[in-house]
Amino acid sequence: MAKGPVGALDVIDTANSPREGIMDAAMHLFGKQGYSGTSMRDIASAVGVLPGSLYAHIASKEMLLVDIVADGISRFLAAVQPIAASDADPAARMRAMIVAHVVVVADNPERSQVVFHQWRFLGEGNVQAAIAKRQEYEQAFITVMGEGIRTGAFRADLNLRIAVFTILGALNWSPEWLSPGGKLLPEVVGGLIADTLLTGICA
Amino acid sequence: MAKGPVGALDVIDTANSPREGIMDAAMHLFGKQGYSGTSMRDIASAVGVLPGSLYAHIASKEMLLVDIVADGISRFLAAVQPIAASDADPAARMRAMIVAHVVVVADNPERSQVVFHQWRFLGEGNVQAAIAKRQEYEQAFITVMGEGIRTGAFRADLNLRIAVFTILGALNWSPEWLSPGGKLLPEVVGGLIADTLLTGICA
DNA sequence: CCTACCGATCGGTAGG
DNA sequence: CCTACCGATCGGTAGG
């Protein structure tokens, strides 16, 4: 793959094409300022190009959001679905799914914020596709939770739907406070969140 | 308080002044479309007035957000702080705080979304004030959690900071799925979330 | 990727 | 609360 010696700049500039550079800048800006709060001029100046030049590489502002959201959800699905489908016991699977989710969030909190909040700004057809993929993701948690309740691994007296929303809520809120450069590794933070959710806060 | 017979329209139109009507429309639009995604023209047409007419009642778009966020946070503080300061045992207090939070969210999910997400669009000084009030709110949970760990009511092996973020995350995500007209009363939903968080999902 | 520009919409104001 | 309007900024395009 490498075309020659790897330069020091490769560490900083991860974009391999103009399009990737634009996507990356848009992702960070959409995550921090929101889709409506970000102008094409913001993106252009982050990339170091004049606004009109963006359209040589992308079709529209919305297509930028479409791609960022679709790619983002795919990362969560790719990390969590194999665990949900494994044959470990439900508690071990749920724990690993929680950790995997936190690792994906910590890898790029801004992208996660776009996935969690900015999909609302997609138009008609695109928003439906995003919702369908999000539901597919939620389904992985619902399935494992249901299996755990049936096998007796999880408490039978709790509401499945509400328990899953409680877990996903705690996870989806994590980009608000997770710092990628923090003292604790994402895997450790994920493990501590899983502890809290699996065994509760009561002694 | 009543100036005469109560008319049927009072049920629908709760605004007692033009300013309250504007605040109410802005609250719902900011919650659904975001601050940047809502124009003064959107608000004006929701109120049934021309855009320029709004400025007879409000100073600016940002002052609208300032007031909605400040009022919103105050409602959460007013509901939760008295419980945090009561002399019940930590587990009972934490449970009641969770239920109270969910009741406030369910009372008006759009206002809650503004409080949770749109405060970022406040300018310099106003954003600092909002963050301070939010931290005051988090402090109530941190205090009760710390007390519960010290007295042995809560598990000593979990990370206080992360446990609180897990709880607040689950709660702050609730406007995404709570439906005010749902089958379960907000108090019941809050109780089920509290069950999940206090005792965990494992049997 | 730049120059130069389009029509539409933005938050907000003066004067009545 | 309306009429009429301001300068600024928006997403996007034609032509090179």
mmCIF file of all heavy atoms in Angstrom, chain B residues 15-57:
data_model
loop_
_atom_site.group_PDB
_atom_site.id
_atom_site.type_symbol
_atom_site.label_atom_id
_atom_site.label_comp_id
_atom_site.label_asym_id
_atom_site.label_seq_id
_atom_site.Cartn_x
_atom_site.Cartn_y
_atom_site.Cartn_z
ATOM 1 N N ALA B 15 -50.269 30.295 27.250
ATOM 2 C CA ALA B 15 -49.510 31.537 27.342
ATOM 3 C C ALA B 15 -50.389 32.663 27.858
ATOM 4 O O ALA B 15 -51.470 32.906 27.347
ATOM 5 C CB ALA B 15 -48.936 31.903 25.976
ATOM 6 N N ASN B 16 -49.872 33.339 28.895
ATOM 7 C CA ASN B 16 -50.642 34.444 29.465
ATOM 8 C C ASN B 16 -50.210 35.794 28.920
ATOM 9 O O ASN B 16 -50.842 36.803 29.170
ATOM 10 C CB ASN B 16 -50.501 34.432 30.992
ATOM 11 C CG ASN B 16 -51.110 33.182 31.587
ATOM 12 O OD1 ASN B 16 -52.203 32.789 31.215
ATOM 13 N ND2 ASN B 16 -50.397 32.549 32.500
ATOM 14 N N SER B 17 -49.116 35.791 28.181
ATOM 15 C CA SER B 17 -48.615 37.044 27.607
ATOM 16 C C SER B 17 -47.974 36.719 26.272
ATOM 17 O O SER B 17 -47.598 35.572 26.034
ATOM 18 C CB SER B 17 -47.590 37.674 28.556
ATOM 19 O OG SER B 17 -46.425 36.873 28.593
ATOM 20 N N PRO B 18 -47.853 37.732 25.418
ATOM 21 C CA PRO B 18 -47.184 37.489 24.123
ATOM 22 C C PRO B 18 -45.804 36.890 24.331
ATOM 23 O O PRO B 18 -45.401 35.974 23.618
ATOM 24 C CB PRO B 18 -47.092 38.893 23.520
ATOM 25 C CG PRO B 18 -48.175 39.678 24.172
ATOM 26 C CD PRO B 18 -48.332 39.118 25.551
ATOM 27 N N ARG B 19 -45.095 37.411 25.330
ATOM 28 C CA ARG B 19 -43.737 36.920 25.590
ATOM 29 C C ARG B 19 -43.728 35.427 25.924
ATOM 30 O O ARG B 19 -42.872 34.678 25.443
ATOM 31 C CB ARG B 19 -43.131 37.706 26.757
ATOM 32 C CG ARG B 19 -41.695 37.364 27.010
ATOM 33 C CD ARG B 19 -40.970 38.468 27.763
ATOM 34 N NE ARG B 19 -39.550 38.335 27.558
ATOM 35 C CZ ARG B 19 -38.802 37.375 28.114
ATOM 36 N NH1 ARG B 19 -39.373 36.484 28.871
ATOM 37 N NH2 ARG B 19 -37.517 37.299 27.868
ATOM 38 N N GLU B 20 -44.687 34.980 26.730
ATOM 39 C CA GLU B 20 -44.749 33.559 27.091
ATOM 40 C C GLU B 20 -45.067 32.696 25.868
ATOM 41 O O GLU B 20 -44.555 31.583 25.736
ATOM 42 C CB GLU B 20 -45.792 33.324 28.186
ATOM 43 C CG GLU B 20 -45.308 33.737 29.564
ATOM 44 C CD GLU B 20 -46.383 33.547 30.629
ATOM 45 O OE1 GLU B 20 -47.020 32.468 30.653
ATOM 46 O OE2 GLU B 20 -46.608 34.474 31.426
ATOM 47 N N GLY B 21 -45.902 33.230 24.997
ATOM 48 C CA GLY B 21 -46.223 32.503 23.772
ATOM 49 C C GLY B 21 -44.998 32.324 22.888
ATOM 50 O O GLY B 21 -44.780 31.254 22.309
ATOM 51 N N ILE B 22 -44.187 33.368 22.820
ATOM 52 C CA ILE B 22 -42.951 33.319 22.028
ATOM 53 C C ILE B 22 -41.964 32.331 22.657
ATOM 54 O O ILE B 22 -41.377 31.501 21.954
ATOM 55 C CB ILE B 22 -42.316 34.731 21.929
ATOM 56 C CG1 ILE B 22 -43.221 35.661 21.113
ATOM 57 C CG2 ILE B 22 -40.931 34.652 21.304
ATOM 58 C CD1 ILE B 22 -42.833 37.132 21.217
ATOM 59 N N MET B 23 -41.810 32.413 23.965
ATOM 60 C CA MET B 23 -40.907 31.497 24.681
ATOM 61 C C MET B 23 -41.323 30.043 24.465
ATOM 62 O O MET B 23 -40.480 29.169 24.249
ATOM 63 C CB MET B 23 -40.939 31.797 26.187
ATOM 64 C CG MET B 23 -40.391 33.147 26.582
ATOM 65 S SD MET B 23 -38.664 33.062 27.090
ATOM 66 C CE MET B 23 -38.815 32.087 28.584
ATOM 67 N N ASP B 24 -42.614 29.813 24.525
ATOM 68 C CA ASP B 24 -43.124 28.455 24.378
ATOM 69 C C ASP B 24 -42.871 27.913 22.973
ATOM 70 O O ASP B 24 -42.426 26.776 22.806
ATOM 71 C CB ASP B 24 -44.629 28.450 24.684
ATOM 72 C CG ASP B 24 -45.146 27.062 24.992
ATOM 73 O OD1 ASP B 24 -44.731 26.503 26.020
ATOM 74 O OD2 ASP B 24 -45.939 26.535 24.190
ATOM 75 N N ALA B 25 -43.135 28.739 21.969
ATOM 76 C CA ALA B 25 -42.890 28.317 20.580
ATOM 77 C C ALA B 25 -41.400 28.074 20.350
ATOM 78 O O ALA B 25 -41.005 27.079 19.728
ATOM 79 C CB ALA B 25 -43.408 29.386 19.611
ATOM 80 N N ALA B 26 -40.572 28.982 20.870
ATOM 81 C CA ALA B 26 -39.117 28.846 20.704
ATOM 82 C C ALA B 26 -38.613 27.574 21.383
ATOM 83 O O ALA B 26 -37.796 26.846 20.821
ATOM 84 C CB ALA B 26 -38.409 30.069 21.279
ATOM 85 N N MET B 27 -39.130 27.299 22.569
ATOM 86 C CA MET B 27 -38.734 26.108 23.326
ATOM 87 C C MET B 27 -38.976 24.833 22.510
ATOM 88 O O MET B 27 -38.099 23.981 22.381
ATOM 89 C CB MET B 27 -39.525 26.068 24.617
ATOM 90 C CG MET B 27 -39.191 24.971 25.562
ATOM 91 S SD MET B 27 -40.401 24.985 26.902
ATOM 92 C CE MET B 27 -41.800 24.208 26.086
ATOM 93 N N HIS B 28 -40.189 24.731 21.941
ATOM 94 C CA HIS B 28 -40.511 23.528 21.176
ATOM 95 C C HIS B 28 -39.681 23.435 19.900
ATOM 96 O O HIS B 28 -39.223 22.359 19.531
ATOM 97 C CB HIS B 28 -42.007 23.505 20.845
ATOM 98 C CG HIS B 28 -42.859 23.098 22.007
ATOM 99 N ND1 HIS B 28 -43.441 24.008 22.869
ATOM 100 C CD2 HIS B 28 -43.199 21.875 22.488
ATOM 101 C CE1 HIS B 28 -44.108 23.354 23.817
ATOM 102 N NE2 HIS B 28 -43.993 22.077 23.612
ATOM 103 N N LEU B 29 -39.478 24.553 19.229
ATOM 104 C CA LEU B 29 -38.701 24.538 17.989
ATOM 105 C C LEU B 29 -37.217 24.287 18.256
ATOM 106 O O LEU B 29 -36.589 23.493 17.547
ATOM 107 C CB LEU B 29 -38.900 25.851 17.227
ATOM 108 C CG LEU B 29 -40.280 25.996 16.571
ATOM 109 C CD1 LEU B 29 -40.554 27.438 16.181
ATOM 110 C CD2 LEU B 29 -40.379 25.089 15.339
ATOM 111 N N PHE B 30 -36.654 24.932 19.264
ATOM 112 C CA PHE B 30 -35.247 24.695 19.617
ATOM 113 C C PHE B 30 -35.048 23.223 19.987
ATOM 114 O O PHE B 30 -34.035 22.617 19.642
ATOM 115 C CB PHE B 30 -34.807 25.584 20.785
ATOM 116 C CG PHE B 30 -34.684 27.051 20.461
ATOM 117 C CD1 PHE B 30 -34.508 27.998 21.473
ATOM 118 C CD2 PHE B 30 -34.738 27.505 19.148
ATOM 119 C CE1 PHE B 30 -34.383 29.349 21.182
ATOM 120 C CE2 PHE B 30 -34.616 28.861 18.850
ATOM 121 C CZ PHE B 30 -34.441 29.788 19.884
ATOM 122 N N GLY B 31 -36.003 22.663 20.697
ATOM 123 C CA GLY B 31 -35.891 21.267 21.111
ATOM 124 C C GLY B 31 -35.949 20.304 19.947
ATOM 125 O O GLY B 31 -35.228 19.311 19.907
ATOM 126 N N LYS B 32 -36.806 20.610 18.987
ATOM 127 C CA LYS B 32 -37.000 19.692 17.853
ATOM 128 C C LYS B 32 -35.998 19.912 16.744
ATOM 129 O O LYS B 32 -35.504 18.953 16.132
ATOM 130 C CB LYS B 32 -38.424 19.855 17.283
ATOM 131 C CG LYS B 32 -39.454 18.946 17.953
ATOM 132 C CD LYS B 32 -40.791 18.969 17.218
ATOM 133 C CE LYS B 32 -41.774 19.866 17.907
ATOM 134 N NZ LYS B 32 -43.156 19.819 17.419
ATOM 135 N N GLN B 33 -35.689 21.193 16.420
ATOM 136 C CA GLN B 33 -34.844 21.499 15.261
ATOM 137 C C GLN B 33 -33.466 22.009 15.652
ATOM 138 O O GLN B 33 -32.627 22.241 14.791
ATOM 139 C CB GLN B 33 -35.515 22.563 14.377
ATOM 140 C CG GLN B 33 -36.979 22.277 14.094
ATOM 141 C CD GLN B 33 -37.647 23.398 13.303
ATOM 142 O OE1 GLN B 33 -37.003 24.394 12.955
ATOM 143 N NE2 GLN B 33 -38.915 23.255 12.998
ATOM 144 N N GLY B 34 -33.270 22.246 16.950
ATOM 145 C CA GLY B 34 -32.017 22.834 17.395
ATOM 146 C C GLY B 34 -32.054 24.350 17.281
ATOM 147 O O GLY B 34 -32.866 24.904 16.541
ATOM 148 N N TYR B 35 -31.173 25.012 18.035
ATOM 149 C CA TYR B 35 -31.117 26.483 18.051
ATOM 150 C C TYR B 35 -30.718 27.020 16.674
ATOM 151 O O TYR B 35 -31.384 27.886 16.125
ATOM 152 C CB TYR B 35 -30.109 26.938 19.114
ATOM 153 C CG TYR B 35 -29.912 28.425 19.205
ATOM 154 C CD1 TYR B 35 -30.878 29.236 19.760
ATOM 155 C CD2 TYR B 35 -28.736 29.021 18.746
ATOM 156 C CE1 TYR B 35 -30.697 30.615 19.861
ATOM 157 C CE2 TYR B 35 -28.536 30.391 18.847
ATOM 158 C CZ TYR B 35 -29.528 31.176 19.400
ATOM 159 O OH TYR B 35 -29.336 32.533 19.489
ATOM 160 N N SER B 36 -29.647 26.478 16.105
ATOM 161 C CA SER B 36 -29.173 26.957 14.801
ATOM 162 C C SER B 36 -30.142 26.610 13.685
ATOM 163 O O SER B 36 -30.203 27.310 12.676
ATOM 164 C CB SER B 36 -27.811 26.352 14.471
ATOM 165 O OG SER B 36 -26.883 26.635 15.472
ATOM 166 N N GLY B 37 -30.880 25.538 13.863
ATOM 167 C CA GLY B 37 -31.817 25.097 12.834
ATOM 168 C C GLY B 37 -33.167 25.778 12.902
ATOM 169 O O GLY B 37 -34.058 25.479 12.105
ATOM 170 N N THR B 38 -33.321 26.679 13.857
ATOM 171 C CA THR B 38 -34.582 27.404 14.014
ATOM 172 C C THR B 38 -34.363 28.875 13.697
ATOM 173 O O THR B 38 -33.460 29.507 14.247
ATOM 174 C CB THR B 38 -35.103 27.278 15.461
ATOM 175 O OG1 THR B 38 -35.283 25.901 15.790
ATOM 176 C CG2 THR B 38 -36.426 28.020 15.619
ATOM 177 N N SER B 39 -35.171 29.414 12.791
ATOM 178 C CA SER B 39 -35.054 30.834 12.460
ATOM 179 C C SER B 39 -36.108 31.630 13.218
ATOM 180 O O SER B 39 -37.124 31.093 13.667
ATOM 181 C CB SER B 39 -35.234 31.049 10.958
ATOM 182 O OG SER B 39 -36.574 30.790 10.591
ATOM 183 N N MET B 40 -35.850 32.905 13.368
ATOM 184 C CA MET B 40 -36.830 33.787 14.013
ATOM 185 C C MET B 40 -38.133 33.763 13.207
ATOM 186 O O MET B 40 -39.218 33.955 13.758
ATOM 187 C CB MET B 40 -36.283 35.212 14.100
ATOM 188 C CG MET B 40 -35.057 35.349 14.998
ATOM 189 S SD MET B 40 -35.287 34.709 16.662
ATOM 190 C CE MET B 40 -36.241 36.030 17.414
ATOM 191 N N ARG B 41 -38.025 33.526 11.907
ATOM 192 C CA ARG B 41 -39.225 33.423 11.073
ATOM 193 C C ARG B 41 -40.038 32.164 11.416
ATOM 194 O O ARG B 41 -41.260 32.185 11.375
ATOM 195 C CB ARG B 41 -38.815 33.439 9.600
ATOM 196 C CG ARG B 41 -38.456 34.836 9.094
ATOM 197 C CD ARG B 41 -37.559 34.806 7.863
ATOM 198 N NE ARG B 41 -37.255 36.137 7.344
ATOM 199 C CZ ARG B 41 -36.283 36.918 7.829
ATOM 200 N NH1 ARG B 41 -35.537 36.512 8.835
ATOM 201 N NH2 ARG B 41 -36.072 38.119 7.304
ATOM 202 N N ASP B 42 -39.327 31.060 11.753
ATOM 203 C CA ASP B 42 -40.027 29.846 12.227
ATOM 204 C C ASP B 42 -40.846 30.161 13.480
ATOM 205 O O ASP B 42 -42.014 29.761 13.592
ATOM 206 C CB ASP B 42 -39.012 28.743 12.590
ATOM 207 C CG ASP B 42 -38.319 28.142 11.374
ATOM 208 O OD1 ASP B 42 -38.888 28.233 10.263
ATOM 209 O OD2 ASP B 42 -37.211 27.589 11.528
ATOM 210 N N ILE B 43 -40.192 30.850 14.408
ATOM 211 C CA ILE B 43 -40.847 31.165 15.682
ATOM 212 C C ILE B 43 -42.033 32.089 15.445
ATOM 213 O O ILE B 43 -43.123 31.880 15.983
ATOM 214 C CB ILE B 43 -39.833 31.812 16.666
ATOM 215 C CG1 ILE B 43 -38.732 30.813 17.017
ATOM 216 C CG2 ILE B 43 -40.548 32.302 17.925
ATOM 217 C CD1 ILE B 43 -37.540 31.425 17.739
ATOM 218 N N ALA B 44 -41.808 33.110 14.609
ATOM 219 C CA ALA B 44 -42.875 34.076 14.326
ATOM 220 C C ALA B 44 -44.096 33.390 13.725
ATOM 221 O O ALA B 44 -45.234 33.654 14.129
ATOM 222 C CB ALA B 44 -42.355 35.165 13.393
ATOM 223 N N SER B 45 -43.861 32.481 12.776
ATOM 224 C CA SER B 45 -45.022 31.857 12.123
ATOM 225 C C SER B 45 -45.717 30.865 13.052
ATOM 226 O O SER B 45 -46.921 30.653 12.946
ATOM 227 C CB SER B 45 -44.617 31.211 10.794
ATOM 228 O OG SER B 45 -44.066 29.945 11.015
ATOM 229 N N ALA B 46 -44.971 30.293 14.004
ATOM 230 C CA ALA B 46 -45.598 29.421 15.004
ATOM 231 C C ALA B 46 -46.496 30.230 15.934
ATOM 232 O O ALA B 46 -47.553 29.770 16.360
ATOM 233 C CB ALA B 46 -44.528 28.680 15.803
ATOM 234 N N VAL B 47 -46.053 31.445 16.235
ATOM 235 C CA VAL B 47 -46.822 32.319 17.124
ATOM 236 C C VAL B 47 -47.983 32.968 16.356
ATOM 237 O O VAL B 47 -48.991 33.339 16.939
ATOM 238 C CB VAL B 47 -45.909 33.399 17.746
ATOM 239 C CG1 VAL B 47 -46.697 34.397 18.569
ATOM 240 C CG2 VAL B 47 -44.823 32.750 18.605
ATOM 241 N N GLY B 48 -47.795 33.111 15.025
ATOM 242 C CA GLY B 48 -48.825 33.737 14.214
ATOM 243 C C GLY B 48 -48.634 35.235 14.099
ATOM 244 O O GLY B 48 -49.573 36.020 14.187
ATOM 245 N N VAL B 49 -47.390 35.623 13.878
ATOM 246 C CA VAL B 49 -47.021 37.039 13.872
ATOM 247 C C VAL B 49 -45.902 37.221 12.841
ATOM 248 O O VAL B 49 -45.256 36.254 12.464
ATOM 249 C CB VAL B 49 -46.584 37.412 15.323
ATOM 250 C CG1 VAL B 49 -45.099 37.607 15.419
ATOM 251 C CG2 VAL B 49 -47.388 38.561 15.856
ATOM 252 N N LEU B 50 -45.655 38.431 12.379
ATOM 253 C CA LEU B 50 -44.572 38.639 11.430
ATOM 254 C C LEU B 50 -43.235 38.762 12.170
ATOM 255 O O LEU B 50 -43.201 39.214 13.310
ATOM 256 C CB LEU B 50 -44.843 39.866 10.570
ATOM 257 C CG LEU B 50 -46.016 39.673 9.583
ATOM 258 C CD1 LEU B 50 -46.251 40.930 8.748
ATOM 259 C CD2 LEU B 50 -45.779 38.482 8.676
ATOM 260 N N PRO B 51 -42.151 38.321 11.517
ATOM 261 C CA PRO B 51 -40.847 38.198 12.190
ATOM 262 C C PRO B 51 -40.439 39.437 12.992
ATOM 263 O O PRO B 51 -40.016 39.322 14.152
ATOM 264 C CB PRO B 51 -39.875 37.965 11.030
ATOM 265 C CG PRO B 51 -40.699 37.342 9.971
ATOM 266 C CD PRO B 51 -42.068 37.927 10.096
ATOM 267 N N GLY B 52 -40.551 40.606 12.400
ATOM 268 C CA GLY B 52 -40.124 41.828 13.077
ATOM 269 C C GLY B 52 -40.891 42.102 14.355
ATOM 270 O O GLY B 52 -40.362 42.730 15.284
ATOM 271 N N SER B 53 -42.109 41.610 14.425
ATOM 272 C CA SER B 53 -42.962 41.891 15.593
ATOM 273 C C SER B 53 -42.445 41.228 16.861
ATOM 274 O O SER B 53 -42.766 41.657 17.975
ATOM 275 C CB SER B 53 -44.395 41.426 15.322
ATOM 276 O OG SER B 53 -44.884 42.020 14.141
ATOM 277 N N LEU B 54 -41.657 40.160 16.723
ATOM 278 C CA LEU B 54 -41.129 39.463 17.893
ATOM 279 C C LEU B 54 -40.309 40.402 18.773
ATOM 280 O O LEU B 54 -40.315 40.282 20.003
ATOM 281 C CB LEU B 54 -40.248 38.277 17.461
ATOM 282 C CG LEU B 54 -40.938 37.138 16.708
ATOM 283 C CD1 LEU B 54 -39.882 36.139 16.220
ATOM 284 C CD2 LEU B 54 -41.955 36.432 17.595
ATOM 285 N N TYR B 55 -39.624 41.350 18.117
ATOM 286 C CA TYR B 55 -38.656 42.179 18.857
ATOM 287 C C TYR B 55 -39.307 43.263 19.710
ATOM 288 O O TYR B 55 -38.624 44.023 20.392
ATOM 289 C CB TYR B 55 -37.629 42.762 17.881
ATOM 290 C CG TYR B 55 -36.753 41.678 17.300
ATOM 291 C CD1 TYR B 55 -37.103 41.021 16.102
ATOM 292 C CD2 TYR B 55 -35.616 41.246 17.957
ATOM 293 C CE1 TYR B 55 -36.322 39.992 15.590
ATOM 294 C CE2 TYR B 55 -34.825 40.235 17.449
ATOM 295 C CZ TYR B 55 -35.184 39.610 16.267
ATOM 296 O OH TYR B 55 -34.409 38.594 15.769
ATOM 297 N N ALA B 56 -40.644 43.317 19.688
ATOM 298 C CA ALA B 56 -41.346 44.183 20.643
ATOM 299 C C ALA B 56 -41.396 43.501 22.013
ATOM 300 O O ALA B 56 -41.672 44.140 23.021
ATOM 301 C CB ALA B 56 -42.753 44.479 20.149
ATOM 302 N N HIS B 57 -41.114 42.166 22.022
ATOM 303 C CA HIS B 57 -41.264 41.402 23.269
ATOM 304 C C HIS B 57 -39.969 40.767 23.760
ATOM 305 O O HIS B 57 -39.842 40.449 24.938
ATOM 306 C CB HIS B 57 -42.315 40.304 23.074
ATOM 307 C CG HIS B 57 -43.614 40.821 22.540
ATOM 308 N ND1 HIS B 57 -44.501 41.538 23.309
ATOM 309 C CD2 HIS B 57 -44.171 40.763 21.312
ATOM 310 C CE1 HIS B 57 -45.556 41.888 22.578
ATOM 311 N NE2 HIS B 57 -45.375 41.420 21.355
#
